[in-house]
């Protein structure tokens, strides 16, 4: 083979006599002959194929970045190449990525992050002293005074202390122990980690995980990856996405025939739905019968008490996804943490109900998705299991230290009397105020469109409207081997450039159709988006009437 290559190299030039009197074309011919003598080797079979890969990974689906989003990327490339479309840009309303939608970062957070990233700036007069103070504290707790060093697997100690202090303030003095705090790569990392520890057994003893339908697709994806059993409990759309304990009881009772239900996931405030907190209990004595409460997407204290009681009664491990705790818009609603309510229900509950709650830098007023900062607080975990959890976390060494620093700034913001407090407060209130206006705008405009119904948006940053599709549209979707709302959303993307996620990616009752859309775009762009959806929907109904 080496001889053939050498002959070929000599044969690349013009036909001039070589040093042995042969021209180079004859050298090329000789090289070809050498190559032809060697038998051609067939390509061996791949070790990793769709048939041989981990079937649990193949079963994973994540609608928020699914086929619609891939198609949106293709369309963006076509627009860049000058291919004409009936629109000039793709508007990615599929995901809660605040800064990608134009939200400006909080100045104080970025100042501290800049100081931590490039400590030479600590000598600059351009940065306020309260930002420098926080940066120095973080850096002093890092190896080599650098964000570039590994941290402890559970996270930087002083940041865990700040998280615990934040939780104590938030919950009105309910104590939090830094040893129960685990810093994570966003909330998603914490959720998947705790589920890894919870899932066990086989056959009818395999762990069942109760999740709301509609749900955030992270849950179904992790359940599939772990080969756990997904147990659906349906929120009541007709009653503003009410969470009904009778429905929880039904789900648990039916699940016990084929698995061991032992985990209950709650998203508060809800994503993607507006989940109203209404409870109806069966088989309870009159003196124990709770009063129904109805507060919209943000669960009331009474609602949370009822969930905790249900978890205690059924011996369920509670997962409280609270990443939207700052996103409460209705003046009639207030965020209550599961940790606080659990503690205040008394020792029978607070000493026995196992709870993991999650928070993140990605949502709220911060919108710092890219830093991937988060934490989980785990209550009443068995001491031996704590050791197993730390062991599991140590496999990935540590969460990104920059993300940990960002989380620290979220839980340790400027306070009254500090130099940055006024500007920080203005920026925070501006972001949350704009989100409240956009929530109301979205609800009102959707409900003006025939064939669309949108429940009130009282928290989080999404609308999940129901769309009523004609029978011919459903038939057309089936002909394309698509779910009807996937067909609708694909047409919406192709005709308007608006990228939303079909409700089938979140789960929904049979025969109902929805899509999830973020309310994050600036107000004027959001108005344009809503108008385009309205026009598209009316044309869609006419086409398939």
């Amino acid at each position: 083979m080496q001889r053939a290559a050498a002959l070929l190299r000599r044969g690349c030039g013009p036909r001039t006599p070589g040093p042995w009197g042969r021209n180079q074309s004859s050298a090329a011919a000789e090289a070809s002959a050498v190559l032809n003598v060697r038998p051609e080797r067939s390509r061996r079979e791949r070790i990793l194929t769709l048939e041989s890969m981990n079937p649990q990974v193949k079963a994973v689906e994540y609608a928020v970045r699914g086929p619609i989003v891939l198609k949106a990327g293709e369309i963006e490339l076509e627009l860049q190449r000058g291919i004409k479309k009936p629109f000039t840009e793709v508007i990615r309303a599929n995901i809660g990525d605040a800064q990608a939608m134009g939200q400006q970062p909080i100045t104080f957070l970025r100042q501290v992050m800049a100081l931590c990233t490039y400590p030479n700036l600590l000598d600059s007069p351009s940065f306020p002293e309260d930002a420098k103070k926080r940066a120095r504290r973080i850096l002093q707790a890092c190896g080599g005074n650098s964000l570039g060093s590994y941290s402890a697997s559970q996270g930087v100690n002083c940041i865990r202390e700040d998280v615990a202090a934040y939780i104590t303030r938030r919950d009105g003095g309910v104590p939090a122990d830094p040893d129960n705090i685990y810093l994570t790569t966003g909330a998603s990392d914490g959720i998947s980690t705790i589920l890894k520890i919870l899932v066990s057994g086989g056959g009818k003893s395999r762990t069942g995980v109760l999740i709301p339908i509609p749900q955030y697709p992270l849950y179904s994806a992790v359940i599939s990856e772990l080969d756990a059993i997904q147990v659906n409990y349906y929120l009541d759309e007709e009653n503003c996405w009410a969470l009904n304990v009778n429905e929880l009881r039904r789900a648990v009772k039916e699940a016990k025939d084929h698995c061991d239900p032992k985990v209950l996931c709650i998203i508060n405030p809800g994503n993607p739905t507006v989940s109203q907190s209404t409870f109806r209990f069966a088989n309870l004595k009159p003196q124990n019968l709770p009063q129904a409460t109805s507060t919209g997407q943000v669960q009331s204290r009474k609602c949370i008490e009822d969930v905790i009681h249900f978890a205690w009664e059924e011996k369920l491990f509670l997962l409280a996804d609270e990443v939207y705790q700052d996103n409460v818009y209705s003046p009639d609603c207030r965020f209550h943490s599961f940790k606080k309510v659990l503690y205040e229900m008394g020792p029978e509950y607070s000493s026995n109900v196992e709870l993991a709650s999650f928070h993140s830098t990605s949502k709220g007023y911060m919108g710092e998705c890219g830093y991937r900062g988060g934490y989980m607080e785990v209550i009443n975990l068995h001491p031996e299991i704590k050791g197993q959890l730390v062991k599991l976390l140590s496999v990935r060494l540590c969460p990104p230290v920059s993300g940990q620093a960002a989380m620290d700034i979220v839980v340790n913001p400027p306070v009254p009397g500090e130099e940055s407090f006024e500007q920080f407060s203005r920026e925070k209130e501006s972001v949350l105020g704009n989100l409240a206006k956009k929530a109301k705008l979205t609800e009102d405009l959707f409900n003006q469109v025939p064939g669309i119904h949108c429940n009130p948006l009282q928290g989080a940053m999404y609308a999940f409207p129901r769309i009523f599709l004609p029978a011919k549209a459903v038939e057309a979707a089936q002909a394309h081997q698509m779910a009807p709302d996937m067909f609708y959303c694909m047409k919406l993307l192709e005709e308007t450039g608006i990228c939303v996620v079909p409700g089938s990616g979140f789960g929904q009752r049979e025969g109902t159709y929805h899509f999830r859309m973020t309310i994050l775009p600036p107000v004027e762009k959001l108005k344009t988006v809503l108008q385009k959806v309205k026009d598209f929907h009316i044309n869609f109904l006419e086409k398939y009437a």
Side-chain angles (χ1 to χ4, degrees), residues 468-515:
F468 296 85
L469 302 182
K472 287 185 178 178
V474 175
E475 292 169 3
Q478 292 170 344
H480 286 81
Q481 297 183 325
M482 289 184 182
D485 48 10
M486 171 67 85
F487 178 74
Y488 176 95
C489 292
M490 193 66 80
K491 292 294 185 184
L492 175 66
L493 173 63
E494 292 171 346
E495 296 181 22
T496 69
I498 298 170
C499 179
V500 298
V501 189
S504 50
F506 299 88
Q508 55 197 354
R509 284 196 180 274
E510 187 73 26
T512 66
Y513 311 110
H514 305 78
F515 63 83

Side-chain angles (χ1 to χ4, degrees), residues 338-370:
F338 269 75
K339 159 74 179 304
K340 179 177 189 290
V341 177
L342 174 64
Y343 183 88
E344 293 176 348
M345 286 177 70
E348 185 175 13
Y349 295 95
S350 63
S351 299
N352 292 295
V353 175
E354 293 153 282
L355 166 70
S357 54
F358 309 90
H359 195 20
S360 165
T361 63
S362 300
K363 308 305 177 186
Y365 60 89
M366 306 80 67
E368 294 286 2
C369 302

